[in-house]
Amino acid sequence: MDIFLLRHFESIKNTQVTFSSIEDKEELTENGVIQGKRISDNLRQILELKSLTVKNIYCAKSVRAQCSAELMASALSGNVQVQAFNELLSTKSKDILGKTKKQVMESNPEFIRQLSLYDAGIYSSYDFHREVGKDLKIEYEKKVCECIEKIVNNDVKEDAKIICLHNSSITAVVINIARKLCGYPQNYYGKVIADNGKFFWIHEENGEQRFIVANCDSELLLDMIKGEIYVT
């Protein structure tokens, strides 16, 4: 089994300077659609070279993630379907929804201070000051990872699982796997770099998992497979 995680293609949300999406209805940008078509074609070639079958593209239940999943599904051979899950949506905090960093600084300067440390890679999100309405990170992580586990272990006969996520949900999954495979600290929840349209690839065989690539461009990944410069 091969698990491909990726963050959705560029959306209007990514071009804004505000925190969190209020309704998760942002469409892909024009650049995001172009990006998505290129990446989807590379994904098609990757799956063909590896002889991997895919029946579904799984994604968060937001417009930007679903549009990304639909682009990938349309590029793949066969009748590939899109399945969307509320559990994979971004974590949200009601007090900062739709606000700019400057606006949040005025009402909650301590959060901005902690965020700057988190973005620098030296602060755990577990230690963030919690506001009313904010998902506890450990509860959010549990919800996301349980959903991913159900997807990976479902009854659909396919060789690979393609899962399109948001920054916060892909962070939860990657940290959970890194704890098992890479000695990542159990009580730390740091920043994971997950750029739009880039892949995290986990290979699973005989009950054992390992990371192949992290935050990898699809063209580089395709070149790696063509050159067989990795081992699975």
Side-chain angles (χ1 to χ4, degrees), residues 29-193:
T29 62
E30 182 179 349
N31 181 63
V33 173
I34 295 171
Q35 174 194 49
K37 289 179 179 178
R38 173 181 59 82
I39 293 171
S40 297
D41 184 62
N42 289 337
L43 176 61
R44 176 188 59 78
Q45 294 181 67
I46 289 167
L47 296 175
E48 289 177 355
L49 285 168
K50 292 292 294 176
S51 299
L52 298 174
T53 59
V54 169
K55 299 292 181 62
N56 295 309
I57 305 292
Y58 306 93
C59 68
K61 202 169 188 177
S62 65
V63 170
R64 57 194 186 275
Q66 288 177 277
C67 287
S68 300
E70 287 165 2
L71 280 174
M72 288 184 281
S74 65
L76 302 181
S77 58
N79 186 27
V80 177
Q81 302 296 309
V82 171
Q83 291 191 16
F85 299 83
N86 283 319
E87 295 89 340
L88 302 180
L89 288 169
S90 293
T91 184
K92 290 178 170 58
S93 179
K94 293 179 181 178
D95 62 314
I96 65 173
L97 280 177
K99 293 183 179 180
T100 65
K101 186 176 287 189
K102 183 178 180 180
Q103 289 172 323
V104 176
M105 172 68 85
E106 293 173 353
S107 61
N108 192 346
E110 177 61 14
F111 172 81
I112 297 299
R113 184 191 73 81
Q114 292 175 330
L115 181 64
S116 69
L117 298 177
Y118 173 78
D119 285 340
I122 58 174
Y123 197 80
S124 173
S125 183
Y126 283 155
D127 297 327
F128 269 60
H129 176 63
R130 301 298 168 193
E131 298 297 325
V132 175
K134 174 72 174 179
D135 290 334
L136 288 174
K137 188 63 66 176
I138 195 166
E139 294 174 0
Y140 175 76
E141 181 184 6
K142 182 175 183 290
K143 175 179 68 175
V144 170
C145 291
E146 285 179 351
C147 183
I148 295 294
E149 186 175 355
K150 289 178 182 177
I151 291 171
V152 171
N153 296 315
N154 65 21
D155 295 330
V156 180
K157 295 185 182 300
E158 52 190 352
D159 300 316
K161 304 291 184 182
I162 314 295
I163 310 174
C164 184
L165 302 167
H166 294 281
N167 188 41
S168 53
S169 50
I170 204 167
T171 295
V173 180
V174 168
I175 286 178
N176 183 264
I177 297 173
R179 288 192 181 118
K180 301 173 185 175
L181 305 182
C182 308
Y184 194 93
Q186 290 293 326
N187 297 317
Y188 191 83
Y189 197 98
K191 185 178 181 66
V192 171
I193 299 174

